Amino acid sequence: MTKIRARLLVVLVVLSGFLTVAGPGPATAAPLTDSLWFDGTPLTVSNGRFTDGQGREVVLRGYNVSGETKLEENKGLPFASVADAKKSATALRALGGGNSVRFLLSWAHAEPARGQVDTAYLAAATDQMRAFLDAGIRVYPDFHQDLYSRHLFDPDSWYTGDGAPQWAVEAGDYPDESCGICLLWGQNITQNEAVKRATYDFWHNAHGLQDAFLATAQRTMAYIEQHLSAEQFVGVVGFDPYNEPHAGVYDSGQTSRAWERDVLWPFYLKFRARMDAAGWQDKPAFVEPNLFWNANIDFQKQEGGLLDAGTLGPRYVFNTHFYDQKAISGIFMWGKAGDGQYAGDFGTVRDRAAAAGTPAIVSEFGHPLAGNVSDKAPTVLKAMYQALDSRRSGSSWWTKTAASGPVLSGSQWQWDIYNGRHHELMNGNPDKVLTTGDAWNDEDLSAVRLDDSGKPVLRQDARLLDRVYPSATSGTTVAFTYEDRSRDGSTTLTWNPVPSSLPNVARLVGSGQYGLLLWRSNSGSAPTELHLPASFPTASTTVVSDLGTMYAPPAYTDSTPVAAAPEPGGTGSRRLLLTDSDSGVLHYALVANGATAPSADLLTAARAELTSWAAKTGG
């Protein structure tokens, strides 16, 4: 595919008096262009990791765009206009620190009449998708469904769904929907007979429903491939075939594991064939297991995780969701989340992906920001991001670094700029106009909203959302941690303090944020990249690495081993570039924002401590 044309590097203004401790000598690197991120080749799966065309490990971080697709007010599109999509994309990059999105699509709107794909809908969706690609944000589309379809629900129902079109519901003879005593909308999955029977019909291709869906999916993917430029299509990572699959009803004697093997996996094989036929043969399918396979409430758990699918990569990615149902229930978890809260849950995700020989992505995670359990959100979300970064708790990370595990990709639910400003007729009922929150089943999880001037603003602590993370690693990641110092009310949450055995590092970090990456180099010439949050302005960022140590890293040149540069896409976000010229060598880089003009002596002492520590714990 044609590579993106290089843009002129915007030179960063660096403080004239910055302090530098030299690294092991200048490294020769490839010229810096946007192609170091959108490099002219699709993101692929190799050795159980996402890999770019430069051979670097890639971590995808971002959000779901957006739950607006579940609603009717914008006819199943994430945005009311392309202008809003561009506004959202810029904010997602600049405020939320994201480099990727899970982009929701609606089967109901893609195929409103059986066998008739609505190309106007596909065109509008593709135009909105293009806004994110042009902002340097990778995309993986998702045909979304919850509770199978809104057309199962009565106008006066307490709940609603999304997904299948009206004609698909009318094809079946389903009972009147009722969830009985349901406190949470998700209980409809296992308690609402209409939802259960309709879901069962889809998986068993009753009335040709699954065939129709697959045909529409193929036409959708073909349309996207044909109407994006080659450069833009590079930024499309893959496709999520089906959101949160569940049997609905198991056949007599069938277990959840057998259902995955005999029903779900054959569906994914069919979807994979449709991807190939649509021109997506170089992109993986982001396949989800039974949604209850990794539930953290024991009575919800069902055996699964695609255990019988064998080795998945490189044509599949293990794609799962995680919500703390104990915390959301308000019953099974009374207090707040703490250090290492989800290390075990996300460790299970890592282990399952490793066994399947493919990367993992947690394509949904989040917590309510309103209601009687919203007070848990700051700690729950911090603990989830901590578990994405490492399988170790903060208290054990410095002493058990080698067991940190791969950095997981993830997409937070959700990024909806219309939060609190909706006008949704629930189930088409003009007497039930929803305006608050996400306007869907009383949910309120969006990390963003528009202020009164129409400007996107965060609804959560920016220190939590806009994070240091290794977006591309030239080699193999050994370990990574980030202490965001996010707040729970007036309390600063510090779960990973620098140990007293590294006094100069602790002094350098102070009370600020810091990230620390250890990686083993390969023979590639492209640099390792760390996203720099807005809280790390170049002029007051400190880097301590075996490649070089400095305060206020300079602008990138071909021979600068430690440097700062803009992220591609023109949104104003930035990245730290670390260039090595060797293979098989253990490297480290600490990036911090707590010190002001640290002395050369302090930088040298901190580097000596980290060099000794890395040799002992990361080797």
Side-chain angles (χ1 to χ4, degrees):
M1 293 183 182
T2 306
K3 291 187 177 181
I4 294 179
R5 200 178 337 177
R7 299 174 186 171
L8 293 177
L9 174 67
V10 179
V11 179
L12 300 176
V13 178
V14 181
L15 292 183
S16 59
F18 68 76
L19 297 163
T20 302
V21 178
T28 301
L32 178 68
T33 69
D34 282 5
S35 67
L36 282 181
W37 201 76
F38 273 12
D39 64 355
T41 59
L43 202 64
T44 57
V45 171
S46 178
N47 297 319
R49 309 290 173 95
F50 289 114
T51 306
D52 68 9
Q54 308 287 338
R56 300 178 297 179
E57 288 184 5
V58 170
V59 172
L60 302 174
R61 288 289 177 88
Y63 304 84
N64 282 263
V65 176
S66 81
E68 173 71 21
T69 302
K70 299 182 180 186
L71 309 182
E72 289 297 304
E73 61 183 358
N74 285 325
K75 297 180 173 57
L77 291 167
F79 302 98
S81 65
V82 173
D84 279 1
K86 290 179 178 179
K87 178 188 293 188
S88 182
T90 299
L92 188 144
R93 193 78 147 136
L95 300 179
N99 67 4
S100 60
V101 294
R102 181 174 181 244
F103 192 95
L104 274 59
L105 297 171
S106 167
W107 178 20
H109 289 87
E111 190 185 7
R114 184 163 194 154
Q116 299 178 21
V117 173
D118 186 346
T119 55
Y121 173 77
L122 298 185
T126 303
D127 285 345
Q128 294 183 8
M129 194 181 300
R130 188 179 290 112
F132 288 83
L133 296 166
D134 289 347
I137 297 170
R138 293 194 186 270
V139 171
Y140 60 108
D142 155 52
F143 261 125
H144 206 79
Q145 73 80 37
D146 294 283
L147 310 184
Y148 190 70
S149 174
R150 70 185 291 266
H151 299 289
L152 285 171
F153 291 85
D154 299 326
D156 60 349
S157 177
W158 289 3
Y159 300 105
T160 191
D162 68 283
Q166 185 171 358
W167 62 259
V169 172
E170 291 175 347
D173 183 17
Y174 304 122
D176 189 43
E177 62 88 14
S178 175
C179 194
I181 302 175
C182 289
L183 300 179
L184 301 173
W185 71 259
Q187 292 176 260
N188 284 271
I189 297 169
T190 56
Q191 294 179 221
N192 190 321
E193 286 299 320
V195 173
K196 291 164 62 177
R197 300 311 308 185
T199 302
Y200 178 91
D201 277 0
F202 175 84
W203 293 118
H204 290 78
N205 199 27
H207 319 294
L209 294 172
Q210 191 178 120
D211 289 342
F213 173 82
L214 290 168
T216 296
Q218 180 177 334
R219 291 186 64 182
T220 298
M221 289 185 283
Y223 187 97
I224 292 170
E225 191 273 337
Q226 293 162 9
H227 290 82
L228 293 175
S229 70
E231 292 87 355
Q232 290 164 342
F233 194 54
V234 164
V236 179
V237 182
F239 207 107
D240 184 344
Y242 197 90
N243 179 69
E244 296 184 350
H246 184 262
V249 180
Y250 291 116
D251 289 319
S252 178
Q254 187 179 52
T255 64
S256 57
R257 178 170 177 173
W259 177 79
E260 281 194 348
R261 181 192 65 218
D262 299 336
V263 178
L264 181 61
W265 186 247
F267 166 77
Y268 286 146
L269 293 177
K270 293 174 186 176
F271 196 96
R272 174 71 265 179
R274 299 287 184 156
M275 291 179 70
D276 295 347
W280 292 53
Q281 58 269 29
D282 295 330
K283 301 180 187 296
F286 285 54
V287 292
E288 300 186 33
N290 175 352
L291 79 109
F292 292 125
W293 84 279
N294 194 27
N296 68 339
I297 296 179
D298 288 341
F299 64 77
Q300 274 191 338
K301 284 187 178 180
Q302 299 178 14
E303 187 180 22
L306 303 177
L307 293 170
D308 299 304
T311 300
L312 300 184
R315 288 166 58 77
Y316 301 90
V317 169
F318 186 74
N319 170 19
T320 188
H321 297 175
F322 184 81
Y323 293 93
D324 186 349
Q325 299 297 340
K326 293 179 181 177
I328 293 173
S329 72
I331 298 172
F332 299 104
M333 174 181 163
W334 291 101
K336 306 287 184 75
D339 177 27
Q341 185 86 20
Y342 306 117
D345 297 299
F346 285 53
T348 299
V349 174
R350 287 180 171 88
D351 291 342
R352 183 67 205 107
T358 194
I361 186 167
V362 184
S363 62
E364 282 190 31
F365 63 95
H367 189 82
L369 301 182
N372 60 1
V373 298
S374 60
D375 64 311
K376 302 179 190 296
T379 58
V380 166
L381 267 296
K382 179 179 173 74
M384 289 180 178
Y385 274 110
Q386 180 192 52
L388 287 173
D389 290 343
S390 170
R391 69 186 303 154
R392 305 305 311 178
S393 65
S395 62
S396 67
W397 190 87
W398 285 91
T399 56
K400 297 182 179 179
T401 313
S404 186
V407 181
L408 290 178
S409 295
S411 302
Q412 183 176 331
W413 186 272
Q414 65 162 325
W415 191 268
D416 174 17
I417 60 172
Y418 306 118
N419 176 272
R421 295 175 178 270
H422 292 285
H423 188 84
E424 174 70 5
L425 278 62
M426 185 175 178
N427 297 318
N429 188 340
D431 295 325
K432 295 186 72 173
V433 179
L434 306 182
T435 60
T436 60
D438 300 339
W440 196 85
N441 286 342
D442 293 326
E443 287 198 341
D444 191 350
L445 284 86
S446 178
V448 69
R449 64 176 178 86
L450 297 177
D451 66 13
D452 290 342
S453 69
K455 177 182 176 182
V457 293
L458 295 178
R459 300 179 64 227
Q460 295 174 273
D461 192 342
R463 287 161 289 213
L464 171 70
L465 299 181
D466 190 12
R467 309 174 62 80
V468 173
Y469 60 92
S471 54
T473 301
S474 184
T476 302
T477 301
V478 174
F480 174 72
T481 191
Y482 181 54
E483 178 50 78
D484 57 46
R485 313 275 191 185
S486 57
R487 309 295 200 266
D488 179 11
S490 61
T491 301
T492 299
L493 300 172
T494 301
W495 292 353
N496 193 354
V498 178
S500 59
S501 58
L502 302 172
N504 290 294
V505 176
R507 181 182 165 200
L508 186 69
V509 167
S511 60
Q513 301 164 297
Y514 77 87
L516 179 54
L517 174 68
L518 282 82
W519 76 100
R520 195 168 297 280
S521 61
N522 62 14
S523 56
S525 60
T528 291
E529 300 189 14
L530 291 168
H531 170 69
L532 287 177
S535 59
F536 282 73
T538 306
S540 57
T541 292
T542 301
V543 181
V544 178
S545 172
D546 63 297
L547 300 173
T549 301
M550 64 192 63
Y551 179 68
Y556 181 86
T557 67
D558 292 0
S559 59
T560 310
V562 179
E567 299 269 22
T571 61
S573 57
R574 294 161 301 108
R575 50 186 165 165
L576 181 72
L577 303 175
L578 304 159
T579 305
D580 59 68
S581 57
D582 46 39
S583 181
V585 175
L586 182 70
H587 296 288
Y588 67 84
L590 170 80
V591 55
N593 64 1
T596 301
S599 68
D601 288 344
L602 178 57
L603 291 172
T604 300
R607 181 179 177 185
E609 288 178 353
L610 284 173
T611 298
S612 176
W613 167 82
K616 293 176 182 177
T617 63

